[in-house]
Amino acid sequence: MSDTSDRLVVTAEHRELLGQVLDTWSVLVLEELCEAPRRFNELRRLIPVTQKSLTATLRRLERNGIVDREVMRSRPVAVRYHITPLGKTLREPIEALLRWTVEHREAVAQARTHFDDAADD
């Protein structure tokens, strides 16, 4: 029998949280907020996302403690988002995943071609 002490167990709770912080829009929002705090409309200009999806993404990230929302006292009232210390801890694992995609994209492309060619037979 093999040792399973190092076995990675992915629970529903893990899947939910990973789905919320690693979806396409969340990663793009985190990319921008790691560089600097951004106002809502600035994020909309930088990320090709609908207002509804951006709002939902920001709320989800805020609920999970990844970003903070600051209402600025200006006219008109503006909202600025910034990454939290907890959110900053995501940078290293996301960068590791991005490095993996760079290092293995050719192998993935070959696997896709092989799969597609086999499906055509």
Side-chain angles (χ1 to χ4, degrees), residues 98-115:
L98 292 173
R99 277 192 304 276
W100 182 90
T101 64
V102 169
E103 292 169 7
H104 299 285
R105 68 178 164 218
E106 288 181 30
V108 170
Q110 290 173 357
R112 288 175 177 172
T113 300
H114 177 74
F115 180 89

Side-chain angles (χ1 to χ4, degrees), residues 72-87:
M72 301 167 56
R73 295 178 184 225
S74 60
R75 295 220 183 260
V77 173
V79 176
R80 182 171 47 196
Y81 293 89
H82 64 273
I83 195 159
T84 65
L86 177 61

Side-chain angles (χ1 to χ4, degrees), residues 48-96:
V49 62
T50 65
Q51 181 174 340
K52 181 179 179 181
S53 292
L54 181 57
T55 298
T57 298
L58 288 165
R59 285 180 192 241
R60 191 170 49 248
L61 291 172
E62 184 181 9
R63 181 172 183 257
N64 286 309
I66 307 301
V67 301
D68 268 340
R69 177 180 185 266
E70 173 190 1
V71 178
M72 301 167 56
R73 295 178 184 225
S74 60
R75 295 220 183 260
V77 173
V79 176
R80 182 171 47 196
Y81 293 89
H82 64 273
I83 195 159
T84 65
L86 177 61
K88 288 179 183 179
T89 65
L90 285 168
R91 188 172 191 138
E92 185 179 334
I94 289 173
E95 285 179 348

Side-chain angles (χ1 to χ4, degrees), residues 33-48:
L33 294 181
C34 277
E35 296 304 315
R38 307 275 189 199
R39 290 172 58 165
F40 182 87
N41 285 328
E42 186 179 7
L43 286 169
R44 271 198 72 205
R45 284 190 298 278
L46 293 167
I47 301 169

